[in-house]
Amino acid sequence: MSTAPAPEKPTGRRSVMHPINRFLERWIPSALTFAIVLTIIVAILAMTLTQTSPVDVVVGWGDGLSGLLAFMTQMCLILLLGYMLANTRPVKKLLGWLAGVPTGPGTAYVFVFVIGAIASLITWGLGLIVGTLLAREIAVQSRRRGYKVHFPLLVAAGYSGFVVWHMGYSGSGPLTAATPDSFLAPALGGEVIPVTETIFASWNMLAALAVIVVVALLFFLIRPKSGDPIYELPDAVGSEKHDEADESVVTPADRVDASRILTLLLGLGLVGYLAVHFIQGGTLTLDIVNWSFLALILLLVKNPFELIHLTKRAASNVGEILLQFPLYAGILGIMSSSGLIKLFSDAFVSISTPTTFGVLALLSAGIVNFFVPSGGGQFAVQGPIMIDAAHQLGVDPSIAIMAVAYGDQWTNMIQPFWALPVLAIAGLKMRDILGYTFITLLGSGVVMAAVLLIVSL
């Protein structure tokens, strides 16, 4: 896959973020290293702030390692299936058509952001890839149509759509709270919180719309003006071609693998199951979200050959995340067995009121996201703390859940972990887009804090 070389050192207005860019590149380690360091920090805190011995810490950690196995599988499937869906032939064709919609650079930046945001609301795995593929295709088509676009800003706009993912259909925190017997169930007293009170609450949907409108406006305002330096996609880089699977049909078994009948029947079977599930009063859970994406993929691929090929391509994106979840489960085990969860919850309650709780939870979740960049992993560590704090203050637990969700998605704009697949596709570095995603951080943060303050009154 051809990629663009990194743009030259920013000049003018783009150099404002250069010191922060340099700091992030030099000092922020990998997400896996974050998880390991956080494990050590939590272990030290447990031994110094509670009456927990080193042996008890090790036992709590070891007992907790397998505590998120089911959840780990669910989250990895969301990423796997989202990547596969974004790379199916019909979606690639749709992106090519969408790339022809913008008529100039100003509308191009806004359009990429809005499409990326919509895709992220459907599923975060899809949103991460779609925004970047669309940015690249628009850069190619704008060259043919005779107008210049600043490629790093296009990519930043596509990635910025990710700032609303936890408000949408694949939001891991709200979906976990709606799933019976999840790791949040003990904090919720064994109950579940339906997604009608979180993801599909009117205030959350209005918040998502407000974030999209505000950030889209910001991208229009910060677009390069006349005389500003513009980095275009190099002429040698063209549209990304659909990567065909090896479909050599030689044996009778190959003919079966090349037939669409099997994947079509399986897809229709899953659609039937989902229809019955909802007709009989079933609710939206992490499993149902995954099966809906799998059903769509099965209906879009042309045969098992293509399905296997897409799976192999997507699997490389899951490995690092897969390894982190046991570490987060171990952290949760230490915090639960030592009493750190209760200790931190009481500390948070001491500085909060029912009105300020949501905003403070947003800020704290944004900070924690730097160290636990996985939304699911963050909820494993922070979710029980915030739900317990909300209970003590008499705050609706749905506000606690969405406040943590907002904080998690918010600082993704300046935390490089989730940008890695985006940057790999675009051929850029984090410093090339960070100045623009920092603007997204500011605009979205104001909107989300205001919404949480209003619903807490």
Side-chain angles (χ1 to χ4, degrees):
M1 178 171 59
S2 299
T3 55
E8 297 176 359
K9 183 179 178 179
T11 59
R13 291 184 303 165
R14 287 182 288 157
S15 65
V16 173
M17 294 300 299
H18 188 63
I20 297 179
N21 298 343
R22 291 285 296 169
F23 174 82
L24 290 174
E25 283 197 329
R26 287 176 61 86
W27 297 106
I28 291 187
S30 68
L32 178 61
T33 300
F34 265 135
I36 296 172
V37 171
L38 185 62
T39 301
I40 297 171
I41 291 174
V42 170
I44 293 173
L45 289 175
M47 289 184 289
T48 56
L49 299 180
T50 70
Q51 301 297 315
T52 306
S53 69
V55 173
D56 291 334
V57 168
V58 172
V59 171
W61 176 73
D63 289 344
L65 286 174
S66 60
L68 296 179
L69 287 180
F71 180 69
M72 176 177 67
T73 304
Q74 292 166 327
M75 295 307 298
C76 288
L77 275 176
I78 285 183
L79 178 59
L80 182 83
L81 297 175
Y83 187 96
M84 291 172 64
L85 184 59
N87 283 279
T88 57
R89 187 189 309 269
V91 173
K92 285 286 191 68
K93 288 184 178 179
L94 175 61
L95 291 176
W97 177 81
L98 288 173
V101 173
T103 56
T107 55
Y109 307 125
V110 173
F111 187 73
V112 169
F113 166 71
V114 171
I115 296 300
I118 292 173
S120 294
L121 287 172
I122 296 172
T123 167
W124 56 273
L126 177 69
L128 269 179
I129 306 303
V130 159
T132 312
L133 294 178
L134 181 60
R136 176 173 169 155
E137 186 62 28
I138 286 179
V140 172
Q141 292 199 26
S142 67
R143 188 169 59 207
R144 291 199 292 258
R145 298 168 72 181
Y147 66 87
K148 295 183 177 182
V149 291
H150 186 47
F151 186 57
L153 182 55
L154 270 182
V155 174
Y159 178 62
S160 290
F162 196 50
V163 80
V164 296
W165 82 269
H166 223 142
M167 296 169 156
Y169 187 67
S170 66
S172 54
L175 288 173
T176 302
T179 301
D181 301 321
S182 72
F183 62 82
L184 289 179
L188 294 170
E191 302 295 324
V192 297
I193 297 181
V195 291
T196 53
E197 297 180 18
T198 52
I199 294 173
F200 296 115
S202 58
W203 59 270
N204 178 63
M205 291 189 291
L206 288 173
L209 178 61
V211 169
I212 292 173
V213 170
V214 169
V215 176
L217 177 61
L218 288 175
F219 271 105
F220 183 78
L221 294 175
I222 66 173
R223 72 192 188 280
K225 305 300 190 296
S226 178
D228 287 346
I230 290 180
Y231 170 77
E232 293 185 90
L233 192 68
D235 292 339
V237 180
S239 300
E240 186 176 51
K241 303 300 182 182
H242 182 75
D243 189 9
E244 295 286 348
D246 181 8
E247 299 179 7
S248 300
V249 178
V250 178
T251 66
D254 292 335
R255 284 193 287 273
V256 175
D257 284 334
S259 171
R260 190 172 187 174
I261 295 176
L262 293 178
T263 52
L264 182 62
L265 287 175
L266 193 60
L268 291 173
L270 264 179
V271 170
Y273 165 75
L274 293 170
V276 172
H277 173 80
F278 287 114
I279 290 172
Q280 294 182 346
T283 59
L284 193 63
T285 65
L286 282 168
D287 289 331
I288 295 301
V289 168
N290 277 324
W291 304 149
S292 63
F293 294 145
L294 179 58
L296 190 55
I297 292 168
L298 289 167
L299 295 177
L300 292 178
V301 298
K302 60 181 183 179
N303 53 41
F305 267 134
E306 185 178 3
L307 182 64
I308 294 170
H309 180 66
L310 288 173
T311 304
K312 289 180 179 179
R313 288 190 60 189
S316 62
N317 291 272
V318 177
E320 185 179 356
I321 299 169
L322 193 69
L323 187 60
Q324 290 179 48
F325 276 107
L327 296 179
Y328 294 134
I331 290 170
L332 181 59
I334 295 173
M335 297 183 72
S336 299
S337 62
S338 67
L340 270 182
I341 287 181
K342 182 65 175 175
L343 186 67
F344 288 166
S345 175
D346 291 342
F348 190 82
V349 169
S350 69
I351 62 172
S352 303
T353 68
T355 302
T356 62
F357 173 84
V359 176
L360 291 175
L362 162 70
L363 294 174
S364 67
I367 295 171
V368 170
N369 185 55
F370 269 101
F371 302 95
V372 190
S374 162
Q378 179 166 350
F379 258 92
V381 175
Q382 195 176 17
I385 296 173
M386 290 303 169
I387 291 173
D388 186 58
H391 176 73
Q392 293 185 52
L393 289 168
V395 175
D396 189 328
S398 63
I399 294 178
I401 290 168
M402 295 313 296
V404 176
Y406 288 4
D408 165 68
Q409 65 186 9
W410 177 46
T411 50
N412 280 333
M413 294 300 99
I414 54 175
Q415 213 287 357
F417 176 62
W418 291 114
L420 294 178
V422 171
L423 298 171
I425 294 172
L428 299 175
K429 294 184 178 181
M430 189 65 187
R431 65 168 177 259
D432 301 322
I433 69 171
L434 185 63
Y436 305 119
T437 57
F438 183 76
I439 300 298
T440 303
L441 176 90
L442 295 178
S444 62
V446 170
V447 173
M448 290 186 285
V451 169
L452 288 170
L453 184 62
I454 291 171
V455 298
S456 298
L457 293 176

